Amino acid sequence: MDGEEQQPAHEADVEPVVPSEASESVPRVLSGDPQNLSDVDAFNLLLEMKLKRRRQRPNLPRTVTQLVAEDGSRVYVVGTAHFSDDSKRDVVKTIREVQPDVVVVELCQYRVSMLKMDESTLLREAQELSLEKLQQAVRQNGLMSGLMQMLLLKVSAHITEQLGMAPGGEFREAFKEASKVPFCKFHLGDRPIPVTFKRAIAALSFWQKVRLAWGLCFLSDPISKDDVERCKQKDLLEQMMAEMIGEFPDLHRTIVSERDVYLTYMLRQAARRLELPRASDAEPRKCVPSVVVGVVGMGHVPGIEKNWSTDLNIQEIMTPAILSRLAVKAAFFGLLGYSLYWMGRRTASLVLSLPATQYCLQRVTEARHK
């Protein structure tokens, strides 16, 4: 599993990339029998159709930030809010206006199922949480990461029940629209979530780990409308952990700032010059700038802008921090001790509230006063 986590590039299986802003470089294809067209001519015909639909001065939503790579490639970053219909419309409009060569979304291979998960599917998955599913998640990702994965699903289901809207709607819309653009690639641009989980957990103190484990095991508090509004504007994972252990700088660094770096790197990888097809090897190579649309949470947009022109080294943020066995055991026994203390307190309160106990205490008090 760790071997898979350190591979930075992830790509969904859509279609080959096409060049952008290449209308002058693409030869016009004369009308004729489509069956007599060569592969290159057919490619150029589809490319010409795409470029005609691409707006040179696109009318973009206010949530879009434009970035330009050194080679002239353009990146349009759509900042989205979780659980927002407006964000879904912004994504659709941007992709239709610019007809991108690549669409990059804030998902990793461990969350790609979100592209097919509607409200009913998400609620069913959350309701069908079982010990077997939990054990599988723990085996794959470790104890804390497995619990966090289950909690994230449970929290998403809670919010879905209140809003009637499953998370990730903007990513599903991006996937649908990308499939309508000729030769558009679809990239998964987020850091693998097990890496984020492990690095976030390693940054916690001992008691923060205990509080997190307790919250993961015994989450039962209902989510209020205020919680939902905060989740719309903030990274869901960061919001979820902050509710249980409080805000602190290392949490923001591992969950937001490091992922800003990773997302920037993936967007820059996607924004590379593209080579046009050639009818023969004798023709000179022609490369043109590409057009990329990035779909990320609005909380990541400032970090992407900040990192866009800097040298990035993602290897140092791709290594999952290893929790020592002593730390895991300490967290376990700390959680066990806290659980026994909490259960003992609840049991004592329950026993003391019984009528028989109250009667006995009253008789003892009367006897002492005599």
Side-chain angles (χ1 to χ4, degrees), residues 59-186:
N59 180 22
L60 299 173
R62 290 181 298 174
T63 54
V64 176
T65 300
Q66 298 185 46
L67 301 169
V68 181
E70 292 180 355
D71 63 9
S73 297
R74 292 190 171 274
V75 178
Y76 299 90
V77 182
V78 188
T80 63
H82 299 297
F83 307 98
S84 169
D85 285 326
D86 289 339
S87 288
K88 292 193 286 188
R89 286 190 287 268
D90 288 350
V91 169
V92 171
K93 181 177 178 61
T94 302
I95 292 176
R96 290 180 180 177
E97 286 281 318
V98 305
Q99 294 290 296
D101 305 308
V102 186
V103 172
V104 180
V105 296
E106 185 195 330
L107 288 176
C108 67
Q109 72 268 39
Y110 296 94
R111 294 181 292 155
V112 72
S113 59
M114 189 179 290
L115 296 175
K116 300 178 181 178
M117 191 175 287
D118 57 12
E119 288 78 9
S120 59
T121 305
L122 176 63
L123 291 174
R124 185 173 65 252
E125 287 287 320
Q127 290 168 356
E128 293 176 355
L129 287 180
S130 62
L131 181 60
E132 182 180 352
K133 283 186 178 180
L134 178 59
Q135 289 174 336
Q136 182 181 359
V138 170
R139 279 196 302 269
Q140 291 178 345
N141 305 313
L143 176 62
M144 300 291 281
S145 294
L147 289 173
M148 288 180 70
Q149 186 174 334
M150 293 295 100
L151 176 65
L152 198 57
L153 178 61
K154 193 172 180 180
V155 169
S156 298
H158 272 302
I159 300 175
T160 299
E161 278 187 308
Q162 292 199 10
L163 295 183
M165 181 189 304
E170 67 270 34
F171 304 135
R172 288 188 288 276
E173 290 298 327
F175 185 71
K176 288 182 202 173
E177 289 301 316
S179 66
K180 299 175 186 177
V181 179
F183 311 114
C184 182
K185 275 188 174 180
F186 191 85

Side-chain angles (χ1 to χ4, degrees), residues 185-232:
K185 275 188 174 180
F186 191 85
H187 286 195
L188 306 175
D190 201 2
R191 181 172 66 178
I193 200 163
V195 177
T196 299
F197 280 157
K198 290 174 183 176
R199 290 182 64 85
I201 293 167
L204 303 179
S205 68
F206 167 75
W207 286 113
Q208 285 170 332
K209 288 184 177 72
V210 172
R211 289 173 61 187
L212 176 61
W214 177 260
L216 294 174
C217 293
F218 301 101
L219 174 73
S220 59
D221 294 335
I223 295 177
S224 66
K225 291 184 178 180
D226 290 339
D227 294 331
V228 172
E229 288 303 315
R230 286 196 294 270
C231 286
K232 283 184 177 182

Side-chain angles (χ1 to χ4, degrees), residues 32 36 100 134 189 194 234 295:
N36 294 330
L134 178 59
K234 196 172 185 179
V295 182

Side-chain angles (χ1 to χ4, degrees), residues 264-334:
T264 306
Y265 175 84
M266 295 302 292
L267 287 169
R268 289 195 339 201
Q269 289 293 107
R272 292 182 168 183
R273 291 179 69 85
L274 304 170
E275 183 178 335
L276 293 174
R278 296 180 294 165
S280 68
D281 293 338
E283 287 190 10
R285 296 179 182 273
K286 294 180 181 178
C287 294
V288 294
S290 60
V291 170
V292 177
V293 169
V295 182
V296 304
M298 62 176 58
H300 291 289
V301 175
I304 292 173
E305 286 188 275
K306 176 184 175 182
N307 294 314
W308 185 251
S309 300
T310 62
D311 293 331
L312 302 177
N313 177 15
I314 66 165
Q315 291 306 315
E316 59 188 25
I317 64 169
M318 286 300 294
T319 305
I322 305 298
L323 290 175
S324 68
R325 291 186 179 182
L326 178 61
V328 173
K329 288 181 180 179
F332 172 77
F333 286 114

